[in-house]
Amino acid sequence: GADVDDATIRIVLDSARTEGRGLTQSLALALLEDLVMNCRQGLPGNLVVEDPKLITDLYALAEFVPHRKKAVGTGAATGATPSPTPPPKAKAKQGNKRKAPDSAPQPCEKAKQRIVESPERIAHPGKWWRVTTLSLVMCGASPSAMGAAIWNRHPTLCALMKMTTSGRYRFPTADCDERRREAMRDDEAKARARESAIAATLFVPSQPPVRAPAPPPREGARGGPRVSAR
């Protein structure tokens, strides 16, 4: 029955940032949803939030981090520059023993070319919509503080707030004139093209180089081994 305020939400978000020791993204998101659900009408708890930065940080819970596979021929993970393997330690023994190498072996060029980085931050669609739902609830609980700030900073949330308050669920939103509709459609098309390019970079397997077909034999050319009639 306790109120959920900025400090409570911040504790959950900070715990999700602690790699290896805190909450996972999914667990933190589920915990925040449960806390907000306990503040709905008819229950003693209230949602008391005022810091718009909470919504910006909420979207980190929806971020997709590509799985980092090891590149062939290196101990490095994809998405990061491979670091050379440290040279083995030389044992201090007398006699004809091999010395430690002067330099560590370097990763081959093909392995370097396979390392791929995500060009920009991307999100799980399902988690993104859950975070967006929480954000809209927070804006509704604090329209003068959070709602007004998010209206001017986040065009997507602004459009969703217009839809929910007007009851007209269409995009571009009903208040747009023709010029703004065209601009929003252009932005949407560019965003979809960007998403397709990111998906291709991350998930489409690289194709082996296509070898050019061998030229056909010339007319009149003799095949087989050359022999002499003498």
Side-chain angles (χ1 to χ4, degrees), residues 187-220:
D187 291 341
E188 180 73 9
K190 290 176 183 177
R192 289 187 181 277
R194 217 162 50 238
E195 290 169 0
S196 299
I198 293 170
T201 301
L202 293 176
F203 305 116
V204 176
S206 57
Q207 299 295 329
V210 179
R211 293 184 179 180
R218 293 178 300 173
E219 266 188 55

Side-chain angles (χ1 to χ4, degrees), residues 116-159:
V116 178
E117 292 186 0
S118 174
E120 53 188 299
R121 295 175 66 190
I122 53 179
H124 292 274
K127 289 181 180 178
W128 186 90
W129 278 109
R130 289 167 65 188
V131 169
T132 299
T133 302
L134 284 174
S135 301
L136 291 173
V137 171
M138 291 183 186
C139 289
S142 177
S144 58
M146 297 189 79
I150 296 303
W151 184 281
N152 296 320
R153 295 180 191 175
H154 296 271
T156 301
L157 286 175
C158 177

Side-chain angles (χ1 to χ4, degrees), residues 34-119:
D34 190 58
L35 289 172
V36 171
M37 281 294 290
N38 288 327
C39 297
R40 65 185 185 273
Q41 191 172 4
L43 294 178
N46 295 305
L47 184 59
V48 185
V49 288
E50 293 183 354
D51 184 8
K53 194 175 184 302
L54 289 175
I55 289 181
T56 303
D57 295 340
L58 264 177
Y59 279 94
L61 299 180
E63 186 173 358
F64 169 74
V65 179
H67 181 65
R68 305 173 74 176
K69 296 181 180 179
K70 288 185 178 181
V72 175
T74 71
T78 56
T81 304
S83 56
T85 306
K89 295 180 180 178
K91 294 182 180 179
K93 288 185 179 181
Q94 300 294 332
N96 187 19
K97 297 291 183 179
R98 287 189 300 175
K99 297 180 180 179
D102 295 332
S103 61
Q106 297 297 319
C108 62
E109 290 300 320
K110 289 184 179 179
K112 289 181 181 180
Q113 293 172 3
R114 289 181 55 188
I115 295 172
V116 178
E117 292 186 0
S118 174

Side-chain angles (χ1 to χ4, degrees), residues 216-230:
R218 293 178 300 173
E219 266 188 55
R222 294 183 178 180
R226 296 183 62 184
V227 295
S228 175
R230 289 181 292 177

